[in-house]
Amino acid sequence: SAKDTLSLRYAFTGQHVEAFQFVKGQNPDTTTKSHTAGITLRRTWTPQTITDATFGFDRQTTNLAVPKGAVGPIAVQGLTGLGPPFDTPRWRVQNRWRGSFALQQRRGNHNWMAGINATRLQFTSDEPEVLRGLEQFNPDFGNDGITNLRLGTPSRYLVSIGTAYRAFRNWDMQAYVGDRWQATSKLTLQAALRWEPMTRPRDVSGMSQLPFDSDWNNFGPALGSAYRLPGHWGVLRAGGGIFFGQILDRKSTRLNSSHITIS
C-alpha cells in the first residue's frame, strides 16, 4: 500500500564435495545444505517514523563422511597418517528461528532508533571423536614406528563408546536504543546502548548438564563520531564499544564424550 512494503526472501544452497585424495581415503567428503527464509513488513507511519517487523528461519546442515576405500585412521610417527581425521564422520544441524522489531524516528538533527531481536537456537550434532578407532604406531618394543606398523603392533589404540548425539536449545536476544546526531554540517555523533542476555543451552537429549547459568547483565554501550576534514582530506572516524561473545555448544559435546585407551 502507500504506507506498507512487504518483502519475501528465500535462498537455498546445496553442495557436495568429493574430496581430492592425495592418499586414498585421507580427506572426508562433505555435504552442505543451507536454507534461509524471511518476511519483512515495513510501515511508514509518517515521513519521520518508520517501523520494521521481521520473521525468519535459517537452517544449516553439514555432513562429513568417510570416503570410499578409507583405512585407519592410523598414525605413524614421522609419516603422513593413513585414513581420514580421527573425528570423522561428523553430522551437524543448526536451526535459527528469528524475529525482530525496529523503530526509527527523525526529530530535527536527531535520528533515534530502538529495537528488539529474539532468536531460538536449535543445535543438534553427532560428532564422536574416535568412532572408527585410532591406531598409533610409535618407536616402541625395541622397534621404530614403521617397523611396528609392518608388524601390526600398535603402541596405542583409542575408540569411542556410547553416543555423542546432543541437541542443545537456547535463546539469543538483544534490545537496543541509540541516536545519530548531526551536530554540525561536518560532525556526526552516535551513541547507543545494547542489552544482550544469553540463556543457558539445554540439552533436550538429557545427556549433558552445562555447569553455568544464564547471563542477564550484558549491557554494551557504543560511541562513534565522523568528522569531514577540509578539502580533499576525506572523513575522520572514531568509535568504540563493549561486545559480548557467544557460547559454543559444540565444546560441551566434547566434555561428555567417552573413550577407551589401550596402550
Side-chain angles (χ1 to χ4, degrees), residues 140-141 154-158 261-263:
D140 210 345
F141 317 116
S155 302
R156 196 178 188 192
Y157 180 73
L158 295 86
T261 302
I262 301 174
S263 300

Side-chain angles (χ1 to χ4, degrees), residues 152-171:
T153 53
S155 302
R156 196 178 188 192
Y157 180 73
L158 295 86
V159 64
S160 292
I161 60 174
T163 177
Y165 176 85
R166 298 294 186 272
F168 292 97
R169 307 290 185 263
N170 73 300
W171 287 94

Side-chain angles (χ1 to χ4, degrees), residues 52-69:
D52 290 282
T54 300
F55 178 78
F57 172 71
D58 304 329
R59 178 180 175 89
Q60 294 180 342
T61 304
T62 304
N63 184 27
L64 271 66
V66 177
K68 296 180 180 179

